[in-house]
Amino acid sequence: MKQAAHKLSIFGGTPVFAAALHVGQPVVHGHDQLLMDINDVFRSGVYTNNGPRLREFELTVARLTGASHCVAVCNATIAIQIAARAMNLTGEVIVPAFTFIATAHALQWIGLTPVFADVDPHTHTLCPDSAAACLGPKTSAILPVHLWGHIAHTERFRQLTEQNGLRLIYDASHAFGCQYRRVAAGNFGHAEVFSFHATKFVHAFEGGAIVTNDGDLANRCRSLRAFGISGLAEITDIGTNGKMHELSACAGLRSIESMPERMLANAANRHAYARCLRSVPGLSLLSVPDENFSNSQYVVLRVDEERFGLTRDQLVRILRAEGVFARSYFNPGCHRAEPYRSADPGVHVRVPLPVTEMLSATLLQLPTGLAVSADDAQQVGKLLRLIHQRSAEIRRLWTLHEQRLLFHPADPSRPDGADTCELIGHKSILREAG
Ligand code: T4K
């Protein structure tokens, strides 16, 4: 492991990881079996429209979650829209400001108004008090997110929505396989929505699902998923095309099979990160909330600039140059993204959002999953310790060379024409500058 600040790749040193580590890199475990499944699909000639693999995938998701119905769709964004339409939502829906933008955009796209509430500083899920303060005469639903797989405050939201005659949908995009008090995600509220995007714990390349214990709601979602057509040709509703095809269903089934391996790898990585980070001031690893069971798909760190010595953004930049492609989800908060930030005051934002502001400025996510070994995680931990120990020198070099900071050659965030570590032959720009 490098020891001197000027050996960091951002200043021209060789990256610790030539092959970069990603947050959410998909790995197809059982790749050969998946290829055989795909061949079977080709042989069968049934590619989509409620095929046998889709039905098997839906039954498997329902069995694993313990919910009565699963309606698989092409992604979670469409799943939110179909669920919202199936519930006849109107007017405003309360969502957390701290989430992936799809949660809000899915609603706005179909003419609903997302109203942003703040999140709990410990779990990062929607704060029930803040959500309650956003209720108004036009509110038709609350849509909390099980962020990072942490189950939202389900009991409080059940009470709040029952008292106010509202619908309750959970965005469980991060929470497949997660539980609260042994109840699996998929069983809370009127419906829950999963994402099976390539970066998720279970993936179908692209995919999503609406899971519910309400049979009528499931039937309506099925119809809306396929143009609003019932039976062979009767059109009973305004629907969309939200279908999941057979190849995605095959991938989803194989991904479900390898959940135990992924769960173990994520737990081992988390443990390795936790061990190394104990001795690094200013970095705190977000813990799994009490009584939750987590898929550990996200390793979330909070950076305390004063104690660590560098800002979150500086740290992300340094890590990425070393081939540790950390992310800073979800910055900016949704309320600071278009079209919400330019809307009239009071339309989307009615309450203070201090926790969202704080989290979006201080969190980062580290690579994990089957593509990252516990040894890699340990290396990243050592690197973080070194960066902290050399933070004063790094700040000095940063100021001197701000215009010449280097990128990892594989970094997709590298601006066109920006230099990579290799381009100056692994020499430190300090040494190059004499
Ligand atoms: N609600 C919430 C709370 C969500 O987080 C999301 C999605 C949704 C709703 C909507 O779900 P979907 O409609 O997508 O089903 C990613 C994902 O695209 C997005 O699905 C996810 N949340 C969000 C949190 O993260 P990006 O822009 O970070 O993706 P990207 O392409 O940078 O991928 C992340 C890393 O994974 C990359 O560094 C490389 C690696 N990767 C990615 C892909 C796609 C690979 O190695 N191979 C790949 O094929 O948004």
Side-chain angles (χ1 to χ4, degrees):
M1 177 59 65
K2 37 185 97 179
Q3 291 300 325
H6 70 265
K7 291 275 173 74
L8 288 169
S9 306
I10 197 161
F11 302 126
T14 309
V16 176
F17 296 96
L21 307 178
H22 295 267
V23 173
Q25 181 164 16
V27 171
V28 176
H29 200 253
H31 172 252
D32 290 342
Q33 288 103 320
L34 178 56
L35 288 179
M36 288 193 301
D37 298 343
I38 290 174
N39 262 325
D40 286 347
V41 170
F42 289 148
R43 271 194 293 271
S44 77
V46 179
Y47 299 157
T48 186
N49 286 5
N50 214 23
R53 301 290 180 164
L54 175 95
R55 292 199 303 274
E56 188 186 343
F57 181 68
E58 291 185 334
L59 287 174
T60 308
V61 168
R63 180 172 50 75
L64 285 177
T65 56
S68 319
H69 309 278
C70 167
V71 182
V73 293
C74 54
N75 59 57
T77 308
I78 289 282
I80 292 172
Q81 296 177 333
I82 291 177
R85 279 275 162 87
M87 291 182 192
N88 296 320
L89 300 190
T90 56
E92 298 171 356
V93 179
I94 295 163
V95 297
F98 191 66
T99 177
F100 188 54
I101 197 67
T103 314
H105 276 0
L107 300 168
Q108 180 82 9
W109 184 267
I110 56 170
L112 295 165
T113 303
V115 175
F116 299 113
D118 210 4
V119 295
D120 177 320
H122 305 293
T123 62
H124 302 181
T125 63
L126 185 63
C127 165
D129 292 334
S130 181
C134 293
L135 294 179
K138 293 187 190 156
T139 311
S140 63
I142 302 182
L143 198 157
V145 180
H146 300 318
L147 207 79
W148 320 131
H150 298 170
I151 302 297
H153 298 284
T154 51
E155 191 45 34
R156 291 285 307 279
F157 289 118
R158 188 185 64 74
Q159 288 165 4
L160 193 60
T161 49
E162 277 180 12
Q163 281 158 7
N164 291 280
L166 303 173
R167 308 292 280 176
L168 180 57
I169 311 177
Y170 285 97
D171 179 343
S173 290
H174 298 182
F176 196 74
C178 299
Q179 300 178 2
Y180 174 66
R181 293 187 176 166
R182 295 177 183 269
V183 178
N187 292 278
F188 301 107
H190 297 106
E192 299 210 40
V193 160
F194 290 110
S195 170
F196 300 116
H197 179 260
T199 56
K200 294 296 187 288
F201 180 63
V202 161
H203 84 87
F205 302 140
E206 287 273 4
I210 303 145
V211 171
T212 177
N213 288 311
D214 177 337
D216 292 338
L217 183 63
N219 285 339
R220 182 130 196 250
C221 290
R222 275 182 212 292
S223 157
L224 297 187
R225 163 181 78 175
F227 316 106
I229 298 177
S230 302
L232 208 52
E234 196 192 348
I235 297 155
T236 51
D237 226 327
I238 310 173
T240 184
N241 182 355
K243 289 171 285 165
M244 174 187 273
H245 57 69
E246 291 288 282
L247 302 186
S248 273
C250 289
L253 283 163
R254 288 296 172 194
S255 182
I256 283 177
E257 254 178 27
S258 62
M259 273 170 64
E261 283 86 352
R262 220 160 314 115
M263 199 79 95
L264 285 174
N266 284 350
N269 290 343
R270 206 190 149 72
H271 189 67
Y273 280 129
R275 236 189 3 244
C276 300
L277 289 171
R278 252 180 250 140
S279 56
V280 186
L283 293 184
S284 38
L285 184 64
L286 184 68
S287 50
V288 175
D290 288 349
E291 303 190 81
N292 270 247
F293 177 79
S294 171
N295 58 27
S296 298
Q297 178 73 355
Y298 291 95
V299 174
V300 181
L301 283 193
R302 190 144 94 73
V303 183
D304 175 339
E305 180 186 345
E306 217 162 283
R307 294 182 58 227
F308 183 69
L310 295 164
T311 65
R312 184 276 309 273
D313 290 345
Q314 286 177 310
L315 178 55
V316 168
R317 189 77 167 69
I318 294 167
L319 288 173
R320 290 186 72 93
E322 299 293 345
V324 180
F325 285 0
R327 300 296 294 250
S328 44
Y329 297 129
F330 293 101
N331 178 37
C334 295
H335 62 299
R336 292 196 179 277
E338 292 295 0
Y340 315 111
R341 70 169 174 213
S342 301
D344 289 340
V347 174
H348 299 287
V349 180
R350 295 180 195 153
V351 293
L353 302 167
V355 182
T356 295
E357 301 292 10
M358 180 270 288
L359 296 178
S360 52
T362 57
L363 295 189
L364 66 82
Q365 295 74 38
L366 292 174
T368 190
L370 282 171
V372 177
S373 67
D375 192 48
D376 292 333
Q378 209 178 332
Q379 290 281 96
V380 176
K382 284 185 185 160
L383 181 61
L384 287 165
R385 195 179 312 145
L386 171 91
I387 295 169
H388 163 68
Q389 286 165 347
R390 303 284 180 268
S391 58
E393 178 65 357
I394 293 172
R395 284 198 306 276
R396 194 181 69 78
L397 295 178
W398 194 289
T399 314
L400 278 175
H401 300 289
E402 186 138 26
Q403 303 311 317
R404 304 180 61 201
L405 300 175
L406 302 180
F407 286 83
H408 190 279
D411 193 342
S413 70
R414 175 164 67 102
D416 282 347
D419 285 343
T420 65
C421 325
E422 267 90 335
L423 289 182
I424 59 167
H426 303 324
K427 274 190 297 177
S428 153
I429 54 177
L430 271 192
R431 273 183 277 136
E432 190 200 34

